[in-house]
Amino acid sequence: MNQSDEIKNSGLKATLPRIRVLEVFQRATRRHLTAEDVYKALLADDADIGLATVYRVLTQFEQAGLLTRNHFESGKAVFELNEGHHHDHLVCLTCGKVEEFYDEAIEARQHAIAKERGFELQEHSLALYAVCAQTDCPHRRK
């Protein structure tokens, strides 16, 4: 399925800025991008799309379910493609690396905790903040 079809299937019109923003996520080597990351990638591709448009498209994509938004330790919103499967995040406080994981026991325990307290869990977001144990971590900010 091409970008235009994905956008149309989400209920949005396939405009050039929307197509270009989706392409950035599909080509990115990192899964979690800020609006500024997307804007810089578009600039590098000589796309004439302003930062305000990038923010607007990201919000529209989130509302349409194409992207999910997270707020990690930086406080900045980061976006990732919504691929339809749940996962949690492990975030390094030293190098900024974000690693995705899924653990069935953690998922079951969260549902059990909600049930024990009289809730039915609808959705959740779990981010574990840690320090990378690698002394020569390639992701560490210089």
Side-chain angles (χ1 to χ4, degrees):
M1 185 181 313
N2 66 32
Q3 293 88 1
S4 181
D5 290 339
E6 281 189 60
I7 293 167
K8 287 177 186 173
N9 287 344
S10 72
L12 297 170
K13 186 176 175 185
T15 63
L16 183 60
R18 289 176 180 153
I19 291 169
R20 297 299 302 269
V21 168
L22 186 55
E23 286 174 347
V24 168
F25 280 93
Q26 291 173 333
R27 289 192 327 249
T29 55
R30 291 186 1 241
R31 281 190 45 85
H32 305 90
L33 302 174
T34 66
E36 292 80 11
D37 294 332
V38 174
Y39 179 64
K40 287 176 188 173
L42 292 168
L43 283 178
D45 286 346
D46 292 322
D48 187 22
I49 300 170
L51 185 56
T53 300
V54 170
Y55 276 105
R56 187 170 51 255
V57 169
L58 292 174
T59 299
Q60 292 166 345
F61 280 4
E62 179 189 14
Q63 291 170 344
L66 287 171
L67 298 177
T68 57
R69 179 191 308 240
N70 289 289
H71 293 275
F72 295 134
E73 89 289 348
S74 70
K76 285 186 174 182
V78 292
F79 297 85
E80 65 181 304
L81 287 173
N82 180 357
E83 296 175 332
H85 61 275
H86 173 76
H87 59 266
D88 295 311
H89 298 95
L90 186 61
V91 182
C92 180
L93 295 169
T94 305
C95 69
K97 179 182 177 191
V98 178
E99 192 169 309
E100 297 175 353
F101 71 93
Y102 177 83
D103 185 291
E104 206 168 301
I106 290 173
E107 297 301 315
R109 186 66 188 126
Q110 290 175 113
H111 282 275
I113 290 168
K115 187 175 182 180
E116 288 165 10
R117 288 164 175 76
F119 292 89
E120 184 178 324
L121 191 61
Q122 299 298 306
E123 62 180 79
H124 76 276
S125 174
L126 175 65
L128 303 175
Y129 296 94
V131 175
C132 170
Q134 298 177 19
T135 56
D136 60 344
C137 177
H139 304 285
R140 186 163 287 133
R141 295 179 186 124
K142 306 292 182 220

